[in-house]
Amino acid sequence: MMLISTTSQFSQGEIIALWSVLGTAIAGLLYAGFLMAQVLREDCGTKLMQEISGSIRTGANAYLYRQFKTIAFLILLLTAALYFTAGEKHIALGRACAFLMGSIFSATVGFVGMNLAVRGNVRVAAAANRKSFSQALKIAYRTGTITGMLTDGLGLLGGTLIFMIYGEKAYEVLLGFGFGGTLLALFMRVGGGIFTKAADVGADLVGKIEKNIPEDDPRNAATIADNVGDNVGDCAGMAADIFESYEVTIVSAMILGWASFGHKGVIFPLLVRAVGVIASIIGTYAVRTKEAVRDAMKAINIGFLLSAIISIAGFSLIGFFYFRFSDKPQLPYWLSLGVPGLDMRPVWTTMVGIVLAVTINRLTEYFTDTHKTPVKSVAESCQTGHATTIITGLAVGLESTVWAILVIAVAILISAVIYQGTNPTFIAYGVSMCGIGMLTLTGNNISMDVFGPVADNANGIGEMAHLNKDARQILADLDAVGNTTKAITKGIAIASAVVAAISLFNAYITDIGTITKQSYAEVASLLSVADHNVFIGLLIGGAIPFLFSSLTIKAVGRAAFLIVKEVREQLKDKDVWEGKKLPDYARVVSICTAAAQKELIRPGILAILTPLLVGFLLKKEALGGFLAGMILSGQLLAVFMANAGGAWDNAKKLIEDGLFGGKGSEAHKASVTGDTVGDPLKDTAGPALNPLIKVMNMVALLAIPLVVRYENSPKVFWCAAIAGIFLLILLIRNPKQTKEELEILKRA
């Protein structure tokens, strides 16, 4: 392979480093294959357990096949469109191919990760049936690690290959790579979220509240769909979500790195990510607990901290030897360690990102863990009814947003202070390196996330297969920890989305400067709220996450309505109620699948078209204000929904474990109401805001050359205005009911 257009500007050591990064990416993929073989060798349990797991796997695969089929045409259409967004032909071709590659990589992470999750769930249940907590934990966590290492490996592989081929022009091609992963993540997040929460809410409302039967009672027609949903929403959706954050932070760091430190600024983020892959391999493999201890959360935290320590040591060492300049003035001691020509600023800002990730982990754990005060307060409020349950959960979620935004603000401030006295591009690079540091431990983060649905599915299989009491308790304990780890990784995903979006916002300013031949400071001065267009853009951008959330939550409500009707109807069958025959699980899976595919179209169109309309109607300055407003409100709203939903969910778990009357009590019914309200918040709307933020930033970056070129064209203005009117009509009108939906309503 030819190493970029010319290798003269790179030292022999840097060329070796790039090939080493590529080798590390492949090593991460090989480690995923090694764990895959390990997991698949484990015992699959009884025939009944395998049948239940097989039904979940069939439903999950059917859903993803249908989703990929639905969006395949759009991906191909956008691939062709991207070919015409770049000037030079070879860049245009590279961007289009990179977009396709990013989409395929994101789909691969989601599809393969989900398939391993639905194979690992029954093996976790089988280990619990053998009364081995430690083995059940190890299988569940390593199943998640497979997805984590696929994300690490493919993300690093794609970014490195593009840089090695395109060199200083790589950032233009990387925009396509990032956009491909981002867009697919949005569709997988929205579609998977609608599917999983429609099934979950429907199953809980009929099963737990109306019929007073367990969550995964085999008589409930929605129980298989609920377990399928955990995988398509939390496994496939979150994997694609974090993968695109991984891509986008690489894109922004490489764009800004080239503008500040030249090729050193581009290669360093790749080296940091390579260190992260190695650290994740060591840290994830170390996650285990003794049978006598049975502390899953402690074991997971130890693995995460071990990876963090290895990462910090690794990239600090690289920075110490790599960032040395003979032509730059001596920096203060704390920035250069007293070594002439040494610049440790990229290292310190990367370290800020690692600290930010650990802090967000602990903060999210505090607001969602069953052992912490917020969740206990929500559980306590369930004693006085449904209303107080909702009120307390809302308060917990609202409070959590304040601390999360303050932590992110402090991290950005420290990153900026480290680069104080330099030009804004260096400060922007510092913030982007904070994002690189934050997602250095992506392997660990996704391992924690996928652990959640694997444990949840295993718990469901244990209940449906009527495993013994000890096995059920092991699975229930792992499930409760899984709720916390899912909430933690949502916190990481949200925070990383904000940091990545800020980096992309700076890249947006840099791109305008390149196109208009203005300096960074000149472009930034145009983005003042004193300008009415910028302020209008700010207001519109701040409103979009609320509209997007409304669309996704209403979609869950409409789909859950159909599921409730269907489950009620099937439970009227006396043989189903008495357990003499199984309900029609496939029908509920089909309803959820159809609803998810239909409902994801409008949020997707909103995400792609809105930045274009704002840019063409109100010009580039308004588009900058739009991005700023969208980043702020999106972050606050996402954290609120994720943590409020997590607190309601774990409050329900506490009560189901015997607190305040246990299962079947009035407090339990109130907690189920809280959980069902929180479900579409924490698993649909909240997580989907992460890719929304980044999709809109990527669309703005890709469209800015066209916006600048045509912002004063009356024809383009009126075309955008007409498109905006059609978009409003599309968003206001509810989608038409399908024949299948009308049939369900008629039967009910």
Side-chain angles (χ1 to χ4, degrees):
M1 180 189 291
M2 190 69 179
L3 184 62
I4 67 170
S5 56
T6 175
T7 59
S8 59
Q9 59 186 307
F10 294 91
S11 68
Q12 187 64 33
E14 286 173 336
I15 295 171
I16 293 171
L18 281 170
W19 283 105
S20 298
V21 170
L22 200 65
T24 303
I26 294 170
L29 297 175
L30 291 174
Y31 177 58
F34 166 73
L35 292 180
M36 192 183 303
Q38 269 197 349
V39 169
L40 294 178
R41 281 199 300 266
E42 297 290 341
D43 176 37
C44 297
T46 65
K47 184 179 179 182
L48 177 58
M49 291 163 66
Q50 292 177 44
E51 288 175 356
I52 296 167
S53 178
S55 298
I56 296 169
R57 184 165 66 252
T58 300
N61 285 335
Y63 169 78
L64 276 190
Y65 279 128
R66 185 162 174 176
Q67 173 150 299
F68 291 150
K69 186 178 178 181
T70 301
I71 63 177
F73 176 74
L74 177 63
I75 296 296
L76 292 175
L77 185 67
L78 287 172
T79 301
L82 281 172
Y83 179 78
F84 299 100
T85 62
E88 299 176 48
K89 190 171 182 179
H90 75 288
I91 296 297
L93 181 62
R95 182 179 287 182
C97 292
F99 171 78
L100 194 60
M101 181 170 69
S103 303
I104 292 170
F105 279 9
S106 188
T108 300
V109 168
F111 186 75
V112 175
M114 185 208 71
N115 264 277
L116 265 295
V118 296
R119 290 170 181 267
N121 55 18
V122 70
R123 289 162 170 81
V124 174
N129 198 35
R130 299 193 301 272
K131 301 180 182 179
S132 175
F133 182 94
S134 59
Q135 188 69 4
L137 167 64
K138 187 169 76 172
I139 296 170
Y141 193 79
R142 289 187 179 177
T143 300
T145 303
I146 294 167
T147 311
M149 297 316 300
L150 281 174
T151 303
D152 260 347
L154 290 176
L156 189 58
L157 181 69
T160 308
L161 280 175
I162 289 170
F163 178 67
M164 292 176 77
I165 294 169
Y166 286 92
E168 65 183 65
K169 296 285 188 179
Y171 82 92
E172 297 184 52
V173 177
L174 281 165
L175 286 175
F177 184 61
F179 185 46
T182 301
L183 187 64
L184 203 79
L186 178 68
F187 284 121
M188 293 180 76
R189 255 307 186 194
V190 172
I194 293 169
F195 184 111
T196 182
K197 291 304 110 178
D200 197 359
V201 170
D204 281 358
L205 288 177
V206 179
K208 290 185 176 180
I209 293 181
E210 294 182 9
K211 298 298 183 180
N212 198 26
I213 58 178
E215 181 173 2
D216 290 295
D217 192 296
R219 293 172 291 177
N220 191 326
T223 189
I224 291 293
D226 185 10
N227 284 294
V228 169
D230 289 333
N231 294 289
V232 299
D234 280 324
C235 292
M238 176 59 98
D241 184 3
I242 295 285
F243 177 77
E244 51 96 9
S245 288
Y246 194 90
E247 288 180 354
V248 166
T249 49
I250 285 181
V251 171
S252 57
M254 293 176 88
I255 291 173
L256 295 164
W258 189 270
S260 51
F261 284 100
H263 62 272
K264 284 182 179 287
V266 178
I267 294 176
F268 185 63
L270 296 174
L271 291 170
V272 171
R273 283 285 163 83
V275 170
V277 171
I278 296 168
S280 288
I281 289 173
I282 297 170
T284 54
Y285 205 74
V287 172
R288 61 191 71 200
T289 185
K290 293 180 180 178
E291 201 62 40
V293 177
R294 294 196 171 195
D295 193 337
M297 199 68 234
K298 182 180 179 182
I300 291 170
N301 284 336
I302 288 172
F304 187 88
L305 290 172
L306 176 62
S307 293
I309 292 168
I310 294 170
S311 288
I312 290 171
F315 65 69
S316 296
L317 195 64
I318 290 171
F320 182 81
F321 289 103
Y322 188 45
F323 277 99
R324 299 199 181 196
F325 304 91
S326 58
D327 58 341
K328 291 194 176 182
Q330 179 67 28
L331 293 169
Y333 183 85
W334 71 285
L335 295 176
S336 65
L337 303 179
V339 178
L342 177 62
D343 189 345
M344 290 291 283
R345 290 176 297 181
V347 172
W348 300 147
T349 49
T350 306
M351 200 175 297
V352 170
I354 294 275
V355 175
L356 175 59
V358 174
T359 306
I360 289 290
N361 272 0
R362 299 287 74 75
L363 190 63
T364 309
E365 183 181 345
Y366 173 75
F367 282 104
T368 57
D369 194 285
T370 54
H371 300 98
K372 302 297 189 296
T373 302
V375 171
K376 289 180 179 178
S377 70
V378 176
E380 187 177 353
S381 70
C382 294
Q383 297 175 94
T384 51
H386 303 255
T388 49
T389 303
I390 301 300
I391 290 168
T392 309
L394 288 173
V396 167
L398 291 168
E399 181 189 352
S400 69
T401 62
V402 177
W403 300 110
I405 201 80
L406 285 176
V407 168
I408 294 170
V410 169
I412 293 170
L413 177 62
I414 294 172
S415 299
V417 167
I418 289 171
Y419 278 95
Q420 65 181 338
T422 58
N423 67 55
T425 306
F426 278 85
I427 295 173
Y429 180 62
V431 174
S432 70
M433 286 309 302
C434 177
I436 288 287
M438 190 175 189
L439 287 177
T440 296
L441 304 180
T442 291
N444 300 70
N445 288 325
I446 295 187
S447 301
M448 292 165 66
D449 180 73
V450 178
F451 169 83
V454 170
D456 192 352
N457 270 203
N459 195 19
I461 291 170
E463 189 168 294
M464 295 180 73
H466 308 293
L467 299 188
N468 61 72
K469 185 179 178 181
D470 290 340
R472 293 283 294 113
Q473 189 58 52
I474 289 172
L475 295 172
D477 290 344
L478 290 176
D479 190 10
V481 172
N483 280 335
T484 301
T485 59
K486 284 192 294 182
I488 287 171
T489 50
K490 285 184 179 73
I492 289 287
I494 294 164
S496 69
V498 174
V499 175
I502 292 168
S503 300
L504 289 173
F505 184 73
N506 283 297
Y508 173 80
I509 296 173
T510 303
D511 271 11
I512 292 177
T514 302
I515 295 166
T516 61
K517 309 301 181 185
Q518 293 174 290
S519 69
Y520 185 100
E522 288 174 326
V523 176
S525 67
L526 299 174
L527 303 179
S528 167
V529 291
D531 184 321
H532 66 279
N533 266 7
V534 175
F535 195 74
I536 291 169
L538 186 75
L539 295 176
I540 296 172
I544 290 298
F546 289 87
L547 177 57
F548 180 85
S549 299
S550 172
L551 291 173
T552 52
I553 291 171
K554 282 196 291 187
V556 171
R558 282 191 290 267
F561 178 82
L562 297 172
I563 301 303
V564 168
K565 293 284 188 183
E566 179 64 28
V567 174
R568 282 176 180 168
E569 189 65 24
Q570 292 202 35
L571 283 174
K572 290 178 183 177
D573 187 325
K574 187 178 178 182
D575 288 342
V576 170
W577 179 248
E578 293 177 354
K580 294 179 181 177
K581 75 172 185 180
L582 292 174
D584 189 351
Y585 298 126
R587 182 169 174 77
V588 180
V589 172
S590 176
I591 294 168
C592 288
T593 301
Q597 299 308 311
K598 182 183 73 172
E599 297 282 5
L600 67 80
I601 295 171
R602 293 193 302 163
I605 292 174
L606 176 70
I608 296 170
L609 288 187
T610 311
L612 297 175
L613 294 177
V614 170
F616 288 126
L617 290 172
L618 298 173
K619 302 185 180 181
K620 61 183 178 297
E621 294 82 9
L623 182 53
F626 171 88
L627 295 177
M630 179 265 301
I631 292 168
L632 177 60
S633 70
Q635 194 277 338
L636 292 170
L637 194 57
V639 173
F640 158 68
M641 291 193 287
N643 288 348
W648 276 317
D649 195 347
N650 269 349
K652 180 195 69 173
K653 295 288 183 189
L654 272 178
I655 293 173
E656 287 179 345
D657 283 343
L659 200 65
F660 306 129
K663 290 184 179 180
S665 65
E666 290 303 312
H668 181 232
K669 291 180 180 178
S671 73
V672 173
T673 299
D675 182 36
T676 50
V677 170
D679 273 341
L681 301 186
K682 71 180 174 63
D683 289 326
T684 307
L689 285 173
N690 309 332
L692 173 75
I693 291 171
K694 285 168 285 189
V695 162
M696 289 186 165
N697 272 279
M698 295 300 294
V699 169
L701 273 174
L702 288 164
I704 193 59
L706 297 177
V707 170
V708 172
R709 187 186 306 170
Y710 296 112
E711 64 181 357
N712 294 313
S713 168
K715 288 183 180 180
V716 172
F717 175 88
W718 287 112
C719 288
I722 293 168
I725 292 169
F726 278 111
L727 177 62
L728 286 174
I729 294 171
L730 177 69
L731 297 176
I732 291 169
R733 293 182 62 187
N734 287 330
K736 289 184 179 180
Q737 291 179 323
T738 63
K739 290 182 180 180
E740 188 177 34
E741 290 170 351
L742 292 171
E743 182 188 338
I744 294 166
L745 296 176
K746 186 177 179 180
R747 286 175 62 211

